[in-house]
């Protein structure tokens, strides 16, 4: 692989942005989710038993143990962590020296601290993915915090950046495989996308239009998803550079389409960031318009070029051929469509997966060995004994770290195939068990099963003062009002709305937090109401909390295009399904029984913190941010940082151009001075010659 200095810088900048989105998005929701009056108070996750700090950190590795020493309760500790993470990530975004290994290590520790007490609202795959990517970013980032200029690319950069590519491979390959190993009939019947757009957690307006596409196109899209997620990832390790570039664009295309049709917070952005590991400096320069001049090639170079082109073409043809054969793609010219169906069985796919899992590991071993060997030769070419020794020590450290991370990742990677998982060396499994709680490596598998085949299940919460007239409590983001358009909220993740989607998939007893939500709404807790509606005018019980609350389960479907081709006024249609949560009120024995059963019963209010500087400052910041919608906060931070970066580029460009002009003026002045000196020397020489001629003439006359 060629030089990766530019993709590495792009990766580090993008990780700063992702961290900023993640911390800022969570900060807005902390009081309602984890506050003292929140749905799942985080203070219950930290039991202060008088143990030494080190023992507490071993039990639960989180910086929140330090809260009491700073005069903060658990909620304020989480808010402080989010603010520190947001500010540090924003600083790394706008100032290159802050894109340092120590800064990224601190960001990782901060997010891990939140994850440890986040409970069900932080147990999403992208939270685990961010933590795993974050620890790899520590290895990729340079140590340049105390230097004014960033450190040049190290010889071991190829090794650490390869770990990002391996993570990307595991994520995509597993996401494709689990769709078939789950035995979901919609994925096997290629009809998953006919349900996906309307049944996903929080659709976008584009989802409605995508849902209207013909069935044959939806099935063909599923086939394309399989090809991109299962076959294309093997091209990540291809020795042919163009194949890696092609795989980058195919993966980026898939993620962009998902972004357009679904609100998946920062997940798809993070996936695109991982795909940067497939690029090199030459392609980035090409993308920026700095094309490399073609040099004359020898006949051997030309032969190698044509050979690689043929091998590349053969690879593409094989992928297309296998896709056509195993999904029986046929063009119907009369209907102007392409028919498709799965032409293999579950047993055949399992046999294929069993045959390919171990070889895929060996492909990773060979690819990593190549990167380590290449880096070793680069270290050997360093001039000077001291610098060669220093480069070799760095190479040895990072090569060992990469080998260990690769080995540990094999345990969750082989979860996709049980026989392969059982063959993992026990020593590697022991290493994995020892670091599992730190989320260094994780297993992945997105969209394993398609839900809502018979209609999208949706929980609708209703409140009443008299138990006769019921008013629906509409959430800001999840479907409710059939006339309301689906929102666009990414990269923000409204975690309560997401969990409402999961709650609708089963009885309320499987979602204990829902009882906590009902209790807080009956109590009229402002922090929880802000999760439902930031705008008080949109909340029907703003003047006084409801006396009774119940929840009902509906089935939702997207509306269809009118017969005349026009778009209907309503986005959704719905039908009542069943009661989800019984009618309860404060003091209701049924509600108290559920609260006690789930451990959510209030046990007295915690002590109020002293009005010292830090708690007062945190409360002031919270009051300022309370009235602002979360997407507005996130995008304001991003565009502010992007504007600062743009101004820095423009300023540095004008400064460099002015310095170049000064250099040109200096060179012109020197040249002008040289010309004047030469002219003066010529005139002096001419005068000398004239005087000599006069002397000769005078001598002749004498």
């Amino acid at each position: 692989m060629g030089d990766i200095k530019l993709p590495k810088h792009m990766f580090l900048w993008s990780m700063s942005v992702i961290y900023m989105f993640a911390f800022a998005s969570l900060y807005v929701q902390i009081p309602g989710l984890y506050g003292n009056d929140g749905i799942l108070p985080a203070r219950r996750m930290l039991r202060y038993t008088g143990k030494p700090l080190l023992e507490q950190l071993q039990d639960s590795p989180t910086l929140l143990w330090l809260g009491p020493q700073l005069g903060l309760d658990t909620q304020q500790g989480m808010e402080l962590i989010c603010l520190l993470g947001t500010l540090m990530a924003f600083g790394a975004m706008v100032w290159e020296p802050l894109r340092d290994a120590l800064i990224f290590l601190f960001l990782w520790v901060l997010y891990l601290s939140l994850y440890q007490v986040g409970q069900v609202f932080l147990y999403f795959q992208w939270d685990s993915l961010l933590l795993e990517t974050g620890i790899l970013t520590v290895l990729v980032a340079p140590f340049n915090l105390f230097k004014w200029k960033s450190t040049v690319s190290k010889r071991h950069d190829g090794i650490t950046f390869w770990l990002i590519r391996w993570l990307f491979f595991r994520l995509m390959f597993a996401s494709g495989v689990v769709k078939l190993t789950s035995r979901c009939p919609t994925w096997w019947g290629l009809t998953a996308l006919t349900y996906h757009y309307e049944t996903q957690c929080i659709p976008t307006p584009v989802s409605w239009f995508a849902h209207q596409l013909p069935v044959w196109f939806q099935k063909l899209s599923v086939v394309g998803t399989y090809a991109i997620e299962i076959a294309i990832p093997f091209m990540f390790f291809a020795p042919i550079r163009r194949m890696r570039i092609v795989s980058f664009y195919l993966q980026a295309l898939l993620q962009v389409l998902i972004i357009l049709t679904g609100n998946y917070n920062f997940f798809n952005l993070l996936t695109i960031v991982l795909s940067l590991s497939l690029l090199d400096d030459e392609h980035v320069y090409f993308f920026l318009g700095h094309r490399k001049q073609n040099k004359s090639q020898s006949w051997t170079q030309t032969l190698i070029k044509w050979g690689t082109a043929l091998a590349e073409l053969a690879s593409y043809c094989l992928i297309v051929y296998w896709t056509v054969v195993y999904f029986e793609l046929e063009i119907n010219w009369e209907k102007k469509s392409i028919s498709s169906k799965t032409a293999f069985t579950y047993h055949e796919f399992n046999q294929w997966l069993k045959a390919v899992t171990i070889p895929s590991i060996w492909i990773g071993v060979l690819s990593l060995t190549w990167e380590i060997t290449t880096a070793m030769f680069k270290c050997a070419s360093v001039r000077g004994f001291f610098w060669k020794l220093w480069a070799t020590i760095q190479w040895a450290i990072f090569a060992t770290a990469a080998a260990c991370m690769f080995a540990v990742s094999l345990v969750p990677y082989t979860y996709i195939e049980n026989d392969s998982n059982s063959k993992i060396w026990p020593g590697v499994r022991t290493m994995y068990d020892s670091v599992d709680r730190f989320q260094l490596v994780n297993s992945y598998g997105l969209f394993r099963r398609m839900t809502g085949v018979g209609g999208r299940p949706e929980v609708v919460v209703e409140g009443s003062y008299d138990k006769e007239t019921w008013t629906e409590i509409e959430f800001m983001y999840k479907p409710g009002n059939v006339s309301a358009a689906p929102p666009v909220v990414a990269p923000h993740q409204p975690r309560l709305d997401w969990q409402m989607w999961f709650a609708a998939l089963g009885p309320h007893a499987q979602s204990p937090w829902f009882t906590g939500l009902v209790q807080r709404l009956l109590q009229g807790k402002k922090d929880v109401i802000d999760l439902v509606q930031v705008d008080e005018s949109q909340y029907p019980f703003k003047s006084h909390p409801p006396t009774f609350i119940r929840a009902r389960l509906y089935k939702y479907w997207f509306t269809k295009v009118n017969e005349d081709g026009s778009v209907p006024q309503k986005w959704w249609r719905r039908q009542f399904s069943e009661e989800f949560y019984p009618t309860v009120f404060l003091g209701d024995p049924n509600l108290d029984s559920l609260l006690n059963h789930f451990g959510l019963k209030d046990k007295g209010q915690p002590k109020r913190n002293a009005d010292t500087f830090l708690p007062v400052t945190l409360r002031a910041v919270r009051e300022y941010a309370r009235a602002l919608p979360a997407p507005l906060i996130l995008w304001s931070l991003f565009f502010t940082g992007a504007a600062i970066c743009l101004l820095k580029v423009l300023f540095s460009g004008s400064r460099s151009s002015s310095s170049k002009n000064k250099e040109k003026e200096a060179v012109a002045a020197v040249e002008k001075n040289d010309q004047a000196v030469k002219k003066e020397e010529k005139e002096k020489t001419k005068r000398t010659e004239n005087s000599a001629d006069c002397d000769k003439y005078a001598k002749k006359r004498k």
Side-chain angles (χ1 to χ4, degrees), residues 232-247:
I232 298 300
F234 287 95
M235 293 169 54
F236 297 174
F237 308 107
I240 302 175
R241 173 179 166 273
R242 278 197 304 267
M243 293 181 68
R244 298 193 297 270
I245 302 299
V246 170
S247 66

Side-chain angles (χ1 to χ4, degrees), residues 559-632:
T559 55
K560 296 182 180 180
V561 179
N562 296 327
E563 294 181 358
D564 58 357
S566 61
V567 178
Q569 294 182 349
K570 295 183 178 180
W571 293 81
W572 300 93
R573 60 184 179 89
R574 74 179 187 179
Q575 179 181 338
F576 173 74
S577 178
E578 59 182 334
E579 182 186 74
F580 179 78
Y581 198 89
T583 302
V584 294
F585 54 91
L586 289 178
D588 184 358
N590 187 23
L591 177 62
D592 291 339
S593 174
L594 289 172
L595 290 171
N596 286 323
H597 178 70
F598 296 131
L600 299 175
K601 188 71 174 177
D602 288 331
K603 298 179 181 179
Q605 289 296 325
K607 284 194 308 182
R608 177 180 171 84
N609 291 324
D611 291 332
T612 55
F613 173 76
L614 196 52
V616 170
T617 303
L618 290 173
R619 285 196 290 268
V621 175
R622 169 60 59 191
E623 288 301 320
Y624 178 77
R626 183 186 294 274
L628 300 175
L632 177 62

Side-chain angles (χ1 to χ4, degrees), residues 57-171:
L57 290 174
Q58 288 177 353
D59 295 338
S60 179
T62 173
L63 295 178
L64 291 171
W65 293 114
L66 301 174
Q69 301 179 25
L70 299 175
L72 304 175
D73 58 22
T74 306
Q75 173 188 339
Q76 292 176 327
M78 296 183 72
E79 291 181 347
L80 178 61
I81 286 176
C82 282
L83 288 175
L84 285 176
T86 303
L87 291 175
M88 291 180 66
F90 182 83
M93 175 188 177
V94 300
W95 196 38
E96 186 176 341
L98 289 181
R99 292 170 216 154
D100 178 82
L102 295 177
I103 295 295
F104 283 111
L105 176 61
F106 193 46
L107 289 171
W108 178 80
V109 170
L110 293 177
Y111 205 78
L112 179 66
S113 298
L114 298 170
Y115 182 86
Q116 294 297 322
V117 299
Q119 306 168 75
V120 69
F121 292 110
L122 264 174
Y123 292 166
F124 292 98
Q125 288 198 43
W126 33 86
D127 294 309
S128 300
L129 180 63
L130 178 57
L131 285 171
E132 183 171 353
T133 309
I135 199 64
L136 296 182
T137 307
V138 176
L139 298 176
V140 173
F143 288 93
N144 59 7
L145 184 59
F146 303 107
K147 299 179 181 179
W148 288 103
K149 293 185 179 180
S150 63
T151 309
V152 295
S153 296
K154 297 294 188 299
R155 278 81 184 173
H156 60 258
D157 280 350
I159 301 174
T160 54
F161 210 45
W162 181 91
L163 291 172
I164 305 297
R165 203 187 331 163
W166 172 247
L167 170 58
F168 187 37
F169 170 81
R170 286 167 39 219
L171 172 67

Side-chain angles (χ1 to χ4, degrees), residues 465 471-474 536-544:
Y465 291 120
T471 304
E472 292 187 10
I473 299 176
E474 293 185 18
E536 290 186 357
S537 63
Q538 299 298 319
Y539 187 69
F541 302 99
K542 56 181 179 294
S543 58
H544 189 273

Side-chain angles (χ1 to χ4, degrees), residues 654-692:
S654 61
R655 186 169 57 184
S656 61
S657 62
S658 62
S659 61
K660 287 181 180 179
N661 292 333
K662 290 181 179 179
E663 289 178 1
K664 288 181 180 180
E665 292 176 359
V667 171
V670 171
E671 291 178 352
K672 187 176 181 180
N673 188 33
D674 291 342
Q675 291 177 358
V677 171
K678 288 180 180 179
K679 187 176 180 180
E680 185 177 351
E681 288 179 353
K682 284 183 180 180
E683 292 178 354
K684 187 176 180 180
T685 304
K686 190 174 181 181
R687 286 197 300 269
T688 304
E689 291 176 353
N690 290 336
S691 62

